[in-house]
Each structure stands twice: as structure tokens, then as C-alpha cells.
Amino acid sequence: MTWAPKPGLVAVGWALTAAAGGSLIWFVSSGDRPGTVLLAVTTVALLAASLHGTALRPRLRADAGGVRLRGLGGTRSYTWSQLDVRLGRTRRYGRDVEALELDADDDRLHVLGWTELGTDPHEVHEALLRLRQRPPAS
């Protein structure tokens, strides 16, 4: 099973990056320095988010043997015995937000929200628990 950001969301990120880049060119020619700086920062942030959503696909891959997480530092593999899987809930902007928390033996905590998984973290949590109970194929 694999999870990654939704392609439509990544496409919207690229469209916004292109629009911000086009606006940046116009702002540079207009001589508006504060607007240019603000738009440059926005363009770079959108570019980074779009690249992240495109390059790190799939973000999470799991099977009966364990989990593989793809990140900027490469892909990390964990067996089920090396990983504690839980669903974290926090309150943000007046509403409850769920995130999948993968606590690994190497003292790393991986927190994945719906944008990185492309679906509700609760559904991924349930799927991971089902996979964890399944014996690995020989």
C-alpha cells in the first residue's frame, strides 16, 4: 500500500508557483521593492512545496514486512518491531486535526498529515494496523 499527496493538490501548487513567478517578473519591472521581496519569498515557498509534493512520491509505503518513508534525506525502512504507530490529535485554529505519528527506534518521530498522505490519517492508521497484524510473506 502507498500514500502520497494528491496529484490535483500538487498540480494546484505548480499552477500557483507559475502565477507567482509571472507576477514576480512584473513586480521586478515595476520597481516595487517591498512587493518584489514578498512575492519572491512566496514564489520560493510555493516552488519548494511543489517540488516536495512531486519528488517525494510515494511518501509512505507499507506492507506486511514494515514501512518505508520517503523524505528529503532519502528513504528510510523500518520493520514493524522498530516502529510505534499512533494517531495524534491536536487542536489548531479551533478544530481538531489528526496526524499519523510513526515513532521509530532510531529516535525519529515522523508526523504525516492529510496533505502528505493524500487521505485521512485515521484511514491510513487503520490500514497500517491491519498490515502490522498480517504475517510477512515467506
Side-chain angles (χ1 to χ4, degrees):
M1 300 183 81
T2 61
W3 293 274
K6 290 186 179 185
L9 183 61
V10 176
V12 167
W14 282 113
L16 290 173
T17 302
S23 299
L24 179 60
I25 292 169
W26 184 77
F27 264 75
V28 167
S29 65
S30 73
D32 180 10
R33 285 200 189 281
T36 300
V37 170
L38 183 61
L39 204 49
V41 169
T42 302
T43 303
V44 169
L46 286 168
L47 178 64
S50 299
L51 279 172
H52 186 269
T54 301
L56 302 180
R57 297 184 71 83
R59 183 73 168 102
L60 175 66
R61 183 183 301 265
D63 56 26
V67 170
R68 284 177 299 289
L69 284 160
R70 195 164 181 190
L72 294 175
T75 302
R76 297 192 183 278
S77 297
Y78 300 103
T79 63
W80 288 115
S81 63
Q82 296 174 308
L83 207 58
D84 181 29
V85 180
R86 63 182 176 262
L87 194 61
R89 289 185 179 88
T90 57
R91 191 158 184 81
R92 292 190 182 164
Y93 302 113
R95 62 183 207 106
D96 291 329
V97 178
E98 290 183 338
L100 181 68
E101 297 178 356
L102 304 172
D103 194 2
D105 279 356
D106 59 1
D107 291 332
R108 293 179 191 266
L109 176 64
H110 304 277
V111 181
L112 305 170
W114 71 268
T115 55
E116 290 182 300
L117 297 169
T119 188
D120 183 17
H122 182 74
E123 293 174 16
V124 178
H125 179 253
E126 289 179 357
L128 291 179
L129 292 180
R130 283 192 303 272
L131 280 172
R132 185 178 206 154
Q133 293 172 353
R134 191 180 311 166
S138 301

